Amino acid sequence: MAMTMGELWTQVGSLMATLMFVWAIIQQYFPYQFRGHVQRYAHKLTGFLYPYITITFPEYTGERLRRSEAFSAIQNYLASRSSIRANRMRAEAVKDSKSLILSMDDNEEVIDEFEGVQIWWTSSKTTSKNPSVSYYPSNDERRFYKLTFHRRHRDTILGSFINHIMEQGKAVEQMNRQRKLYMNNAKNDWGHKSNWRHVPFEHPANFKTLAMDPKKKQEIINDLIKFKNGKEYYEKVGKAWKRGYLLYGPPGTGKSTMIAAMANFMEYDVYDLELTSVKDNSELKKLLIEVSNKAMIVIEDIDCSLDLTGQRKKKKKTEDEEETEEKKDPVKKAEKEEEKQSKVTLSGLLNFIDGIWSACGGERLIIFTTNHKEKLDEALIRRGRMDKHIEMPFCGFEAFKALSRNYLDVEWHDSYHKIGQLLEEAEMSPADVAENLMPKYEGETMDDCFKRLVEALEDAKEEAEKKKKAEEEAEAAKMAEKEKEKEKEKKSKDIEMKSNGIGGKEAKENGETEKDEKN
């Protein structure tokens, strides 16, 4: 039996050596057309004997060797699968990620499972022996993943598993990515190819610490959740997947904090759009095109950003006159440049929010803030553009309790009743309340903080009463002045009527005298 097995292995070895020799002769001396036929039939024979299919996912694709989205998705998918345990791992610091990304090391294999189908993942690497000369230099190493499965599961793997990998991988990437705060570049900033530049977004605000009435806060949270899960609904009703929010109220009421809390809750990037830096409506559209999905577009103090009424047209001058004035007066040149940077019109902004171009992306929030809602054009804030209007009022008692918990870790204090009463009588923003609650030196007690707040509220109440009294006096003086004007006008009319009556009597008497003289 041992001799039989030895002979068998000898014959197999001889056969393999013969095949390799024949293949080397074919590659060396036969034309490529013949070699192609041989390779095709060899693959068929291998497929008949080896019933497994392999799909390769390279790390870089295309002429410019851009990183493949599929490779990144697979890397994130495998890193998130707790059931897949590789013995050798690779740790990478991926750009825009909050933490290190762990992946399989080169030439490592793991087993995965999907709907009862067994799958083999292999991480491999190749090195190019003939370096190519290209305008886009790159590393000679090429990494790729190989997915191997039995041919009878082809429909399952190609039909649903590939899509499952992409969705799961993108979800993991979205969860691990470093969110960003963007600002639009000025037109003369040639150092950046993109119209946006960014910094990491690390604002700590959240709805738990937001000073607001709990019912109103929960209403906003429910609205955001409904929007985030509403992709199919928006497609059903035929609307772009976006939603507009108008935050309005006095200064210091927490509008910017609300934006940060919404961004953290939704896990969106924030695009802070400065309209005065936008040259015209065309550039505004370019900015919109570059905004990613899952993003918030914010325009703060929209009533102060630009004059959007279209009343900024001036008489045009000839080019020679303009050049002469610019040479004489550099200030006018700067003013002219500023004017060129602010040609965004109300129509352009409306198209930006709700026009055809607004549908060039999905899952976006558009947020305006203003201190004076009444100054905004009705077309700008109507439903469908600014779908939800959120008033940010002066600090109320519920908001004060949230601030007290945040700043002093206090649920109740003896001064709460008095503070609640003063908040109803005085107008104070949450920012001012927070400033009074914040300890000013080491060792300051909560009683001192509440005492300072009570004094500030009493001062605010006194100022409000003085202001109200002054307004009442001014109104009374205005009414008295109107009464005086009316009285004066009445006297003037009476004098005129009396004067007209005397004149008529004298005219009548003079007429009778003349008649008597004639007789």
Side-chain angles (χ1 to χ4, degrees):
M1 185 68 181
M3 292 296 293
T4 304
M5 289 296 296
E7 292 175 356
L8 178 63
W9 282 112
T10 302
Q11 292 178 2
V12 170
S14 300
L15 178 62
M16 295 295 295
T18 303
L19 291 175
M20 293 176 66
F21 175 75
V22 172
W23 179 242
I25 295 297
I26 291 174
Q27 284 187 318
Q28 186 71 24
Y29 296 105
F30 285 79
Y32 71 92
Q33 294 92 343
F34 180 78
R35 293 200 305 268
H37 287 292
V38 172
Q39 287 179 341
R40 185 163 59 252
Y41 286 109
H43 288 159
K44 287 184 178 180
L45 178 61
T46 303
F48 178 77
L49 299 175
Y50 183 76
Y52 291 94
I53 297 174
T54 299
I55 303 176
T56 301
F57 300 90
E59 183 177 10
Y60 295 99
T61 59
E63 180 183 354
R64 298 189 182 185
L65 298 179
R66 298 180 61 184
R67 187 176 175 88
S68 169
E69 291 185 6
F71 185 91
S72 300
I74 292 171
Q75 187 179 53
N76 293 323
Y77 166 79
L78 293 176
S80 65
R81 295 276 289 170
S82 59
S83 60
I84 299 177
R85 299 183 182 276
N87 295 325
R88 292 181 296 117
M89 306 287 287
R90 172 196 291 262
E92 296 177 290
V94 179
K95 183 181 179 182
D96 300 330
S97 178
K98 292 186 291 186
S99 58
L100 291 175
I101 300 297
L102 296 177
S103 60
M104 293 191 303
D105 200 0
D106 298 331
N107 302 316
E108 182 74 1
E109 182 180 85
V110 294
I111 300 175
D112 192 11
E113 186 176 336
F114 178 75
E115 295 182 357
V117 177
Q118 196 172 42
I119 303 158
W120 290 267
W121 287 105
T122 307
S123 175
S124 303
K125 179 181 69 173
T126 60
T127 303
S128 176
K129 297 181 180 179
N130 298 320
S132 60
V133 179
S134 173
Y135 182 77
Y136 302 96
S138 59
N139 193 342
D140 292 336
E141 291 186 352
R142 297 286 182 271
R143 297 174 59 206
F144 51 89
Y145 286 112
K146 283 186 177 180
L147 170 63
T148 305
F149 56 93
H150 199 281
R151 67 175 63 172
R152 64 172 173 265
H153 302 303
R154 176 192 291 266
D155 294 338
T156 302
I157 300 300
L158 300 182
S160 55
F161 181 61
I162 300 297
N163 293 332
H164 172 72
I165 293 171
M166 296 298 294
E167 291 176 1
Q168 291 293 319
K170 289 181 179 179
V172 173
E173 180 182 7
Q174 185 73 18
M175 181 177 62
N176 292 333
R177 72 187 178 92
Q178 173 67 60
R179 290 184 298 115
K180 303 173 189 138
L181 172 62
Y182 290 85
M183 65 173 289
N184 52 307
N185 287 329
K187 69 170 188 175
N188 59 352
D189 190 357
W190 300 105
H192 294 77
K193 295 180 181 179
S194 173
N195 290 316
W196 298 94
R197 68 171 74 179
H198 64 81
V199 296
F201 181 75
E202 299 175 341
H203 200 293
N206 56 66
F207 279 107
K208 183 178 180 180
T209 60
L210 189 65
M212 179 181 279
D213 182 83
K215 292 182 179 178
K216 191 173 182 179
K217 190 188 303 185
Q218 189 61 45
E219 179 185 341
I220 297 170
I221 292 173
N222 293 340
D223 190 82
L224 291 171
I225 294 173
K226 180 68 176 178
F227 169 79
K228 192 170 187 177
N229 300 329
K231 181 179 180 180
E232 295 180 358
Y233 177 79
Y234 277 83
E235 290 178 353
K236 175 185 174 183
V237 299
K239 289 184 63 177
W241 192 13
K242 65 178 184 59
R243 189 161 177 79
Y245 289 84
L246 175 66
L247 309 182
Y248 66 95
T253 51
K255 295 183 286 294
S256 298
T257 306
M258 168 66 79
I259 292 172
M262 293 170 71
N264 287 330
F265 180 78
M266 301 291 282
E267 297 183 343
Y268 284 0
D269 292 329
V270 179
Y271 289 77
D272 183 16
L273 179 59
E274 179 58 54
L275 287 177
T276 56
S277 298
V278 182
K279 183 173 64 175
D280 51 29
N281 294 337
S282 178
E283 186 174 312
L284 190 63
K285 291 178 183 177
K286 292 178 183 178
L287 288 168
L288 178 63
I289 291 172
E290 292 188 16
V291 174
S292 64
N293 296 337
K294 297 181 181 294
M296 292 172 55
I297 303 172
V298 178
I299 304 179
E300 295 197 85
D301 297 321
I302 181 69
D303 55 307
C304 303
S305 295
L306 283 179
D307 182 4
L308 299 171
T309 60
Q311 299 176 355
R312 299 180 289 111
K313 297 180 180 179
K314 299 180 180 179
K315 185 178 180 180
K316 294 184 178 179
K317 299 180 180 180
T318 63
E319 293 182 0
D320 294 336
E321 290 176 345
E322 290 177 350
E323 290 179 1
T324 304
E325 288 184 0
E326 289 173 8
K327 291 179 180 179
K328 292 181 179 180
D329 192 351
V331 177
K332 287 187 178 180
K333 182 178 180 180
E335 290 177 353
K336 183 183 176 183
E337 291 296 325
E338 182 67 22
E339 181 182 355
K340 288 180 181 178
Q341 293 180 357
S342 58
K343 290 184 179 179
V344 176
T345 63
L346 178 60
S347 174
L349 186 60
L350 296 182
N351 288 329
F352 175 84
I353 300 169
D354 196 34
I356 296 176
W357 287 91
S358 66
C360 65
E363 197 170 354
R364 293 174 178 167
L365 299 179
I366 302 175
I367 302 178
F368 290 169
T369 71
T370 180
N371 296 335
H372 306 283
K373 179 183 176 182
E374 66 280 358
K375 291 184 180 180
L376 299 180
D377 193 296
E378 287 296 329
L380 187 64
I381 60 175
R382 70 164 175 80
R383 308 297 180 181
R385 291 191 174 115
M386 293 294 104
D387 304 284
K388 189 171 183 61
H389 295 190
I390 303 174
E391 182 181 6
M392 306 296 290
F394 287 109
C395 188
F397 187 62
E398 292 297 330
F400 157 74
K401 289 196 295 184
L403 290 171
S404 181
R405 286 192 297 269
N406 294 341
Y407 285 86
L408 299 174
D409 295 324
V410 177
E411 291 292 338
W412 187 260
H413 191 267
D414 294 339
S415 58
Y416 269 33
H417 290 296
K418 187 172 185 179
I419 291 175
Q421 183 179 358
L422 288 170
L423 285 172
E424 294 178 359
E425 299 171 349
E427 294 180 344
M428 181 175 285
S429 68
D432 290 331
V433 173
E435 181 61 26
N436 284 287
L437 288 176
M438 183 182 295
K440 298 298 185 292
Y441 56 87
E442 192 68 29
E444 186 177 23
T445 64
M446 69 176 67
D447 294 333
D448 296 331
C449 296
F450 285 121
K451 182 180 179 181
R452 181 170 56 244
L453 176 60
V454 170
E455 292 175 354
L457 286 170
E458 289 176 344
D459 292 340
K461 177 184 175 182
E462 186 177 347
E463 288 293 328
E465 290 175 349
K466 288 181 180 179
K467 183 179 178 181
K468 183 178 179 181
K469 185 177 179 181
E471 290 176 353
E472 290 176 352
E473 290 177 353
E475 186 67 23
K478 190 176 180 181
M479 294 296 295
E481 188 67 24
K482 286 183 179 180
E483 290 294 331
K484 286 182 180 179
E485 289 291 335
K486 289 181 181 179
E487 191 68 26
K488 186 176 180 180
E489 186 178 350
K490 183 178 179 182
K491 288 182 180 180
S492 177
K493 287 182 179 180
D494 291 341
I495 292 172
E496 186 179 354
M497 290 177 61
K498 289 179 181 180
S499 176
N500 290 337
I502 294 171
K505 185 178 180 181
E506 290 177 351
K508 184 177 180 182
E509 291 177 352
N510 291 336
E512 291 177 354
T513 303
E514 290 176 358
K515 185 177 180 182
D516 292 340
E517 289 177 354
K518 287 180 181 181
N519 291 333

